[in-house]
């Protein structure tokens, strides 16, 4: 199901540099509603930077990002409004360390979206139940394992009812035995038809969750292919080289 | 009953005088902590700006209080500055001045430390949820900074309370001085007066500082991340 259906996000010629250094050199990418895009690429190729540009955590130097046809690259974009519709989960556990699990999840819905407390709480608890952590709702982040924290970070993003979720190597700093529980949550979201862009180094996961693989190298996209195609016969030599490193 | 000397504490208005002395001690510390905190927050914020000459200056200021004993500061201000500038301020005011400046230096360092050790991703994940700048400060940055600051600030407060015992040396009549006066008068009747009076002062200091250090420990344990 590549590129059929409603276009949600469109990136055109996106350029990003840190000082003199060009880190993203003209990224073109389209994301269709319900599609799961997995971004792969060697370390330092700009995957995180790309995700951060998509929800305005990094200012961009050129190109266009549009979301539902609304241009996001200009200076007068209301990022606060856009961010409510784009959920993001980072690699490092980033729960607010002074708040309980439930307060972490409710901060956005209550303070940003000004939702009705009772209704927001119900949704939070229902989502917590879905990731198997309802009994931890009053715990503080320091009392949780890495895998639990990451599942809660996902719930926190989901509770804003985003239209698209961005995941940046959410299992990279987890102990191996906790990777599974987090990936299962993401797989569950894929089954429900959530639109997602996922950066990962878990090749097996990429293959099973992705509708398509976007392979990046040195700040640009080298190849976009279906997982089956990408993992068996990548079109570019750089992708082949990248895969060789993982399949020794 | 044999005269044990403990009556010296209750003779005349001795008891009230000692408590009054303690009040002077607490007053100097309290006022200094309040002034020092206000100035210190400003200094701490200034130190997080990357302005080189200002950095150096504030750093020097902090070191001046760390290196030079507070007693020397008290002497310098009381016996050199005020006569030199031909102003007449009481020993108590001098004490508050010196302690406030000291507090500002240390609180400034605590604030700077708290702000600089704030992990960047806490702020970013708040921003990613759509929180405004003001909301980020209100719900995330300030609560976390305060949690980092409180133990250090309480520790400073107890150190200040203890250090106020030096102000007797510039003529402030605080609890230790009153104790000495009581002993001088009482020692003829009861040779053990000094034991009771100093013992009582010991307990007074303990009664003030111990709860503070307990609070600090509890807060620390509750907030540790
Ligand atoms: N804040 C920054 N300032 C300067 N350079 C940066 C900054 N953030 C990232 N970079 C540089 O931009 C490049 C892309 O970084 P990015 O984090 O996007 O890579 P990545 O593909 O996510 O890598 P990894 O797989 O290791 O997470 C890197 O060379 C990095 O050094
Ligand atoms: Mg990265």
């Amino acid at each position: 199901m590549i590129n059929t259906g409603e276009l949600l996000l469109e990136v055109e010629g996106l350029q990003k540099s840190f000082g003199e250094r060009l880190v993203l050199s003209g990224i073109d990418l389209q994301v269709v509603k319900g599609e799961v895009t997995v971004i792969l690429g060697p370390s330092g190729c700009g995957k995180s930077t790309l995700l951060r540009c998509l929800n305005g955590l990094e200012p961009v130097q050129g190109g266009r990002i549009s979301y539902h046809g609304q241009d996001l690259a200009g200076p007068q974009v209301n990022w606060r409004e856009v961010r409510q519709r784009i959920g993001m989960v980072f690699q490092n556990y980033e729960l607010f360390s002074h708040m309980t699990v439930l307060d972490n999840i409710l901060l956005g819905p209550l303070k940003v979206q000004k939702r009705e407390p009772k209704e927001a709480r119900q949704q939070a608890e229902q989502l917590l139940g879905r990731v198997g952590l309802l009994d931890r709702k009053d715990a503080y982040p320091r009392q949780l394992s890495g895998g639990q924290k990451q599942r809660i970070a996902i719930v926190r993003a989901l509770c804003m009812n985003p239209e698209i979720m961005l995941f940046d190597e959410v299992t990279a700093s987890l102990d191996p035995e906790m990777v599974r529980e987090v990936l299962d949550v993401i797989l569950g979201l894929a089954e429900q038809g959530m639109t997602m862009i996922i950066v990962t180094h878990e090749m097996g996961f990429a293959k099973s969750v992705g509708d398509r693989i976007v392979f990046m190298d040195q700040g640009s996209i080298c190849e976009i292919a279906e997982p089956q195609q990408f993992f068996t016969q990548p079109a570019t030599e750089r992708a082949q080289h990248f895969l060789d490193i993982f399949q020794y | 009953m044999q005269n044990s000397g403990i009556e010296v504490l209750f003779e005349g208005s001795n008891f009230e005088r000692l408590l009054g002395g303690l009040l002077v001690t607490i007053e100097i510390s309290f006022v200094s902590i309040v002034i020092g905190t206000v100035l210190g927050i400003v200094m701490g914020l200034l130190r997080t700006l990357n302005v080189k000459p200002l950095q150096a200056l504030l750093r020097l200021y902090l070191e001046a209080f760390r290196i030079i004993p507070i007693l020397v500061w008290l002497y310098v201000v009381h016996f050199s500055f005020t006569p030199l500038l031909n102003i007449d301020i009481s020993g108590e005011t001098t004490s508050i001045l010196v302690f406030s400046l000291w507090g500002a230096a240390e609180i400034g360092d605590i604030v700077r430390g708290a702000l600089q050790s704030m992990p960047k991703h806490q702020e970013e994940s708040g921003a990613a949820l759509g929180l405004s700048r003001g909301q980020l400060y209100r719900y995330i940055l300030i609560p976390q900074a305060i949690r980092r600051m409180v133990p250090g600030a309480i520790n400073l407060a107890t150190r200040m309370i203890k250090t106020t015992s030096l102000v007797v040396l510039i003529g402030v009549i605080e609890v230790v001085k009153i104790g000495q006066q009581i002993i001088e008068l009482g020692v003829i009747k009861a040779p053990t007066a000094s034991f009771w009076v100093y013992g009582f002062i010991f307990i007074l200091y303990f009664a003030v500082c111990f709860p503070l250090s307990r609070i600090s420990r509890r807060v620390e344990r509750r907030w540790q991340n």
Side-chain angles (χ1 to χ4, degrees):
Chain A
M1 54 165 273
I2 291 188
N3 286 351
T4 52
E6 186 194 341
L7 199 59
L8 204 57
L9 184 70
E10 197 176 9
V11 179
E12 258 181 55
L14 185 71
Q15 292 200 348
K16 166 75 197 170
S17 37
F18 288 109
E20 295 286 281
R21 211 159 146 250
L22 195 60
V23 172
L24 296 177
S25 46
I27 299 285
D28 297 306
L29 184 69
Q30 294 173 347
V31 177
V32 163
K33 200 168 162 77
E35 185 180 35
V36 179
T37 304
V38 174
I39 302 181
L40 301 178
S43 179
C45 70
K47 306 179 294 293
S48 300
T49 306
L50 174 59
L51 290 196
R52 292 165 58 81
C53 290
L54 295 183
N55 75 348
L57 290 175
E58 296 288 352
V60 302
Q61 276 73 46
R64 229 166 52 83
I65 304 172
S66 62
Y67 186 69
H68 276 301
Q70 178 199 354
D71 203 342
L72 295 189
Q76 67 280 22
V77 179
N78 183 357
W79 279 111
R80 291 192 57 203
E81 199 261 322
V82 175
R83 283 171 186 159
Q84 292 174 42
R85 293 187 283 155
I86 304 181
M88 177 141 181
V89 184
F90 303 79
Q91 166 177 350
N92 297 315
Y93 324 125
E94 25 60 279
L95 297 177
F96 306 124
S97 52
H98 61 297
M99 293 181 185
T100 63
V101 165
L102 203 57
D103 289 341
N104 260 278
I105 298 170
L106 290 177
L107 186 67
L110 298 185
K111 303 301 175 190
V112 178
Q113 296 180 322
K114 313 263 189 247
R115 275 158 61 187
E116 221 266 297
K118 210 171 140 212
E119 168 268 329
R121 200 188 157 98
Q122 255 168 17
Q123 187 190 3
E125 289 180 346
Q126 185 237 327
L127 287 168
L128 275 174
R130 233 166 65 194
V131 300
L133 288 172
L134 186 54
D135 56 328
R136 308 298 279 142
K137 67 176 191 236
D138 296 316
Y140 282 88
R142 63 172 179 276
Q143 300 164 322
L144 302 171
S145 73
Q148 292 174 328
K149 281 189 262 196
Q150 250 352 3
R151 281 183 280 161
I152 285 161
I154 295 172
V155 167
R156 184 174 67 185
L158 286 176
C159 206
M160 304 283 285
N161 298 313
E163 291 175 293
I164 180 167
M165 288 282 288
L166 313 178
F167 292 93
D168 189 4
E169 296 194 43
V170 290
T171 57
S173 38
L174 296 181
D175 291 338
E177 69 268 24
M178 290 170 182
V179 169
R180 184 80 215 196
E181 65 192 39
V182 175
L183 296 185
D184 279 343
V185 171
I186 301 176
L187 278 168
L189 291 176
E191 273 162 27
Q192 288 161 32
M194 173 63 83
T195 314
M196 299 191 275
I197 302 180
I198 301 171
V199 172
T200 185
H201 276 136
E202 303 281 338
M203 293 303 140
F205 173 65
K207 203 184 282 182
S208 59
V209 79
D211 291 317
R212 57 172 185 163
I213 305 289
V214 170
F215 176 71
M216 283 177 69
D217 194 14
Q218 295 177 1
S220 54
I221 292 176
C222 297
E223 185 170 343
I224 299 183
E226 286 190 52
Q228 182 62 23
Q229 170 80 26
F230 181 82
F231 285 104
T232 51
Q233 292 174 302
T236 57
E237 217 166 285
R238 284 196 271 180
Q240 182 62 59
H241 181 69
F242 173 77
L243 288 173
D244 287 345
I245 294 169
F246 279 90
Q247 305 157 344
Y248 57 99
Chain B
M1 197 180 105
Q2 171 106 43
N3 193 344
S4 71
I6 194 171
E7 313 78 35
V8 74
L9 293 178
F10 306 104
E11 241 161 54
S13 58
N14 283 357
F15 192 72
E16 289 83 355
R17 285 179 60 210
L18 280 170
L19 289 184
L22 182 70
L23 214 61
V24 173
T25 298
I26 291 175
E27 192 184 299
I28 293 176
S29 323
F30 183 78
V31 174
S32 305
I33 288 164
V34 171
I35 298 176
T37 302
V38 174
L39 291 177
I41 288 172
V42 176
M43 270 184 211
L45 290 172
L46 288 178
R47 284 189 67 191
T48 58
L49 305 176
N50 260 328
V51 188
K52 279 274 150 57
L54 189 67
Q55 296 270 47
L57 196 73
L58 290 172
R59 190 65 227 241
L60 192 73
Y61 175 75
L62 172 67
E63 290 304 327
F65 276 93
R66 292 221 166 132
I67 293 166
I68 301 166
I70 295 301
L71 181 60
V72 176
W73 277 104
L74 289 169
Y75 279 166
V76 166
V77 173
H78 192 66
F79 297 119
S80 315
F81 280 177
T82 46
L84 206 68
L85 301 171
N86 205 11
I87 41 175
D88 187 24
I89 55 173
S90 69
E92 202 173 322
T93 312
T94 304
S95 308
I96 289 176
L97 183 69
V98 169
F99 279 81
S100 296
L101 293 176
W102 173 33
E106 293 285 357
I107 295 277
D109 203 45
I110 292 170
V111 170
R112 178 201 56 80
L115 291 174
Q116 288 182 343
S117 66
M118 197 79 75
K120 182 97 187 112
H121 61 245
Q122 290 277 317
E123 187 178 338
E124 276 191 347
S125 46
L129 286 175
L131 292 170
S132 66
R133 211 62 238 148
Q135 287 175 325
L136 281 176
Y137 272 94
R138 172 150 171 224
Y139 297 114
I140 296 164
L141 298 179
I142 292 175
Q144 292 201 9
I146 288 174
R147 279 165 168 74
R148 280 151 204 263
M149 278 159 48
V150 163
I154 291 180
N155 182 283
L156 177 66
T158 52
R159 272 195 292 152
M160 272 197 179
I161 291 169
K162 287 186 287 185
T163 312
T164 50
S165 56
L166 295 176
V167 303
V168 62
L169 296 166
I170 57 166
V172 180
I173 315 288
E174 46 68 82
V175 67
V176 176
K177 181 71 192 171
I178 288 174
Q180 285 172 351
Q181 291 170 349
I182 291 173
I183 292 164
E184 275 163 31
L185 286 175
V187 78
I188 306 153
K189 268 192 284 173
T192 56
S194 74
F195 171 78
W196 294 107
V197 171
Y198 283 134
F200 184 60
I201 291 174
F202 179 95
I203 291 167
L204 287 180
Y205 272 113
F206 185 80
V208 175
C209 292
F210 183 69
L212 283 179
S213 77
R214 282 312 287 258
I215 292 170
S216 157
R217 258 187 42 205
R218 274 189 54 183
V219 168
E220 219 169 332
R221 211 172 310 143
R222 221 177 103 200
W223 286 347
Q224 65 178 290
N225 297 313

